[in-house]
Amino acid sequence: MELVIEGNALIDKEIVKCCIGVEEGKIKAIKKILKGEKHHDFGDKLILPGAIDAHVHFRDPGLTHKEDFGTGTTSCAFGGVTCALDMPNTLPPVTNILALEEKARNADMKAFVDFGLFAGVSLNCDIEALAKSAVGYKIYLATTTGDMLIDDYKALEGIFKDINETEKPVSVHCEDEALMDRTLNPDSLRKYLKSRPNICEESGIKKVLNNRGNAKAHICHVSTSEGARLIENESITSEVTPHHLFLNSNSDIGALGKVNPPLRESKDQEALWNALSQGTIDIMASDHAPHTLDEKEQFETAAPGIPGVETMVPLMLYMVKQNKFQLERLVDAACKRPGEIFHLKKGRLAPGYDADIIMVDMRSEAEIKGKNLHSKCGWTPFEGFSAIFPRFTFVRGEVVIEDWELTGERGYGKMVIGNHMGMENKE
Ligand code: DOR
Ligand code: ZN
Ligand code: ZN
């Protein structure tokens, strides 16, 4: 083997002491003993698949004072995310193939880890043409950063039909604009929640359930107990963010916690933790949405969005250490299920899969500090939280993080588009 990684690996649902053999960037074999030209013996340390973050905003092109593909994917590497799927609300918006390919070229030169790009859906975009390079589609049912609102609900059914032809998944931001209270001018997290109440999400999800046809609809950032209940028995996939799990509208973080959908209440948090544990909510995704501190200064005018790609896995690993969350379910939700939903040969320690691997020393607790993170925005709403950062990160068999230091190369990260339309990944 070109490379062997040895340690206590989570293979499917069990931790086994084994060797993972890697050839040409892919996992070739998993055995008790393997010989390699390069051999990392990690002893009793934990070996897990790298995470796939199916929802990030890397702001590149057009908003690179907040983040760019270099800083965004550096954050990924430090946080154990080996592939990130980037949202289309950049400038120009990615709603046509030219913008999509331009973004791909730019990202390809800067990325430290692998990435995929979403195509944004606007009322007159060419859905079929976008399929060539997009990992999936994104629909916004509410106004937010960028300009991609689909509030003509009558058009939804046709849009889902067209997307279904491509066999790609479609992620939907579900908040019903009509039910927001525009008379309030919120100056606190509590009031912000009042202006975008839980019913907005419930109504938004219903619109997706009623119009999706056979399309592979995926509900972004479920944030309410009502939303979680609504999808409980539906064959629809969904995600939850770390900020909706760990924070609520009573958190003392002011405008840093302003985000869409808003931070909710502790009863919602509880419902989200349960739904994630049970798999009603399939995956975790950070919705990493960095804004500068200047843009977060004044609540009323602050830009909505919270960074989180670097802290998502570390926060959850600490929960695992505290016996508050199951390791198998974490790996399922952060690695395996996003791989399945977006048709990637990633997110599992199994032959044929990309050798995207992290090594974790569960003894190495750290306190999260914004100034130590690698996003351009330089802050985190999780300041002071305990976390466990991966010690090594491998992307397709190459070391990107070694002993908590960046050794990866800018431009090494490659674009993924998913093997849709029955196209099997050739091995
Ligand atoms: O708070 C948010 N910020 N919600 C979104 O849907 C978009 C995001 C952003 O891009 O800033
Ligand atoms: Zn969203
Ligand atoms: Zn988002």
Side-chain angles (χ1 to χ4, degrees), residues 48 313-321 327 330 360 362 388:
L48 304 173
V313 172
L315 281 167
M316 291 303 290
L317 285 171
Y318 186 73
M319 292 299 279
V320 168
K321 181 164 177 177
L327 180 65
L330 169 58
V360 177
M362 288 302 271
I388 299 175

Side-chain angles (χ1 to χ4, degrees), residues 57 59 89 138 140 144-145 173 221 258-261 287 289 291 304-306:
H57 298 265
R59 311 299 194 198
N89 59 338
K138 176 67 181 280
Y140 286 94
T144 184
T145 314
H173 178 120
H221 40 54
K258 182 174 174 184
V259 64
N260 298 331
D287 196 3
H291 298 286
I306 284 179

Side-chain angles (χ1 to χ4, degrees), residues 143-160:
T143 332
T144 184
T145 314
D147 165 32
M148 237 171 271
L149 174 67
I150 301 275
D151 54 1
D152 177 1
Y153 294 131
K154 284 188 230 93
L156 264 184
E157 200 180 338
I159 289 171
F160 278 122

